Amino acid sequence: QVQLVESGGGLVQAGDSLTLSCAASGDTISRHAVGWFRQAPGKEREFVAHSRWSGGSTHYADSVKGRFTISRDNAKNTVYLQMNNLKPEDTAVYYCATKRSVILSAIRDLGAYAYWGQGTQVTVST
């Protein structure tokens, strides 16, 4: 059983940066696949970024490519989402999720992940 806790959300202005953290407990996730997703009000939860394992490949939604970076700190058993040049359309609750292995074709699928955090709110004002 893996527990995930997101933090780092907040209210920022367009163009600002934020770094979200996803701290894991219950297992070491350095070899786990980890995804970041987000859900805006009235919308479905959507894929944002994925890290296949520590040092492995990363993948991003087109809407955040070039602005967001997913990274890991294995010593802290934590995965980060660095978000730069934030836009109002980035406003959402951000969730991290993990599973020991997720096939590449499924990294954008919510059902491919076994464990989810509770989410952290990011609000970007104009």
Side-chain angles (χ1 to χ4, degrees), residues 3-4 9 14 27 33 40 46 48 50 59 64-65 68 72 78 106 108-109 114 123:
Q3 294 80 43
L4 301 174
D27 198 359
E46 65 176 6
V48 175
H50 178 90
H59 306 270
V64 307
K65 201 172 294 183
F68 290 13
R72 298 175 181 246
T78 298
R108 291 169 173 79
D109 298 339
T123 303

Side-chain angles (χ1 to χ4, degrees), residues 2 7 15 28 35 39 44 71 73 76 82 88 93 115-116 118 121:
V2 178
S7 62
T28 301
Q39 188 166 18
E44 293 185 349
S71 64
D73 185 334
K76 296 183 177 179
Q82 171 70 41
V93 178
Y115 305 102
W116 290 80
Q118 82 292 344
Q121 176 72 47

Side-chain angles (χ1 to χ4, degrees), residues 61-112:
D62 288 343
S63 59
V64 307
K65 201 172 294 183
R67 299 188 297 123
F68 290 13
T69 303
I70 187 171
S71 64
R72 298 175 181 246
D73 185 334
N74 292 334
K76 296 183 177 179
N77 210 27
T78 298
V79 178
Y80 302 98
L81 185 69
Q82 171 70 41
M83 306 185 295
N84 297 328
N85 190 24
L86 283 160
K87 304 176 180 181
E89 51 264 41
D90 294 319
T91 295
V93 178
Y94 283 72
Y95 300 88
C96 62
T98 190
K99 189 177 179 181
R100 186 168 294 274
S101 179
V102 176
I103 60 173
L104 192 56
S105 61
I107 64 173
R108 291 169 173 79
D109 298 339
L110 277 66

Side-chain angles (χ1 to χ4, degrees), residues 4-10 20-22 36-39 45 92-97 116-122:
L4 301 174
V5 178
E6 301 96 334
S7 62
L20 306 183
S21 300
C22 172
W36 281 98
F37 291 78
R38 66 187 182 186
Q39 188 166 18
R45 196 170 299 189
V93 178
Y94 283 72
Y95 300 88
C96 62
W116 290 80
Q118 82 292 344
T120 185
Q121 176 72 47
V122 173

Side-chain angles (χ1 to χ4, degrees), residues 3-33:
Q3 294 80 43
L4 301 174
V5 178
E6 301 96 334
S7 62
L11 172 63
V12 298
Q13 293 186 328
D16 285 351
S17 298
L18 269 180
T19 299
L20 306 183
S21 300
C22 172
S25 60
D27 198 359
T28 301
I29 62 169
S30 61
R31 297 294 297 176
H32 283 58

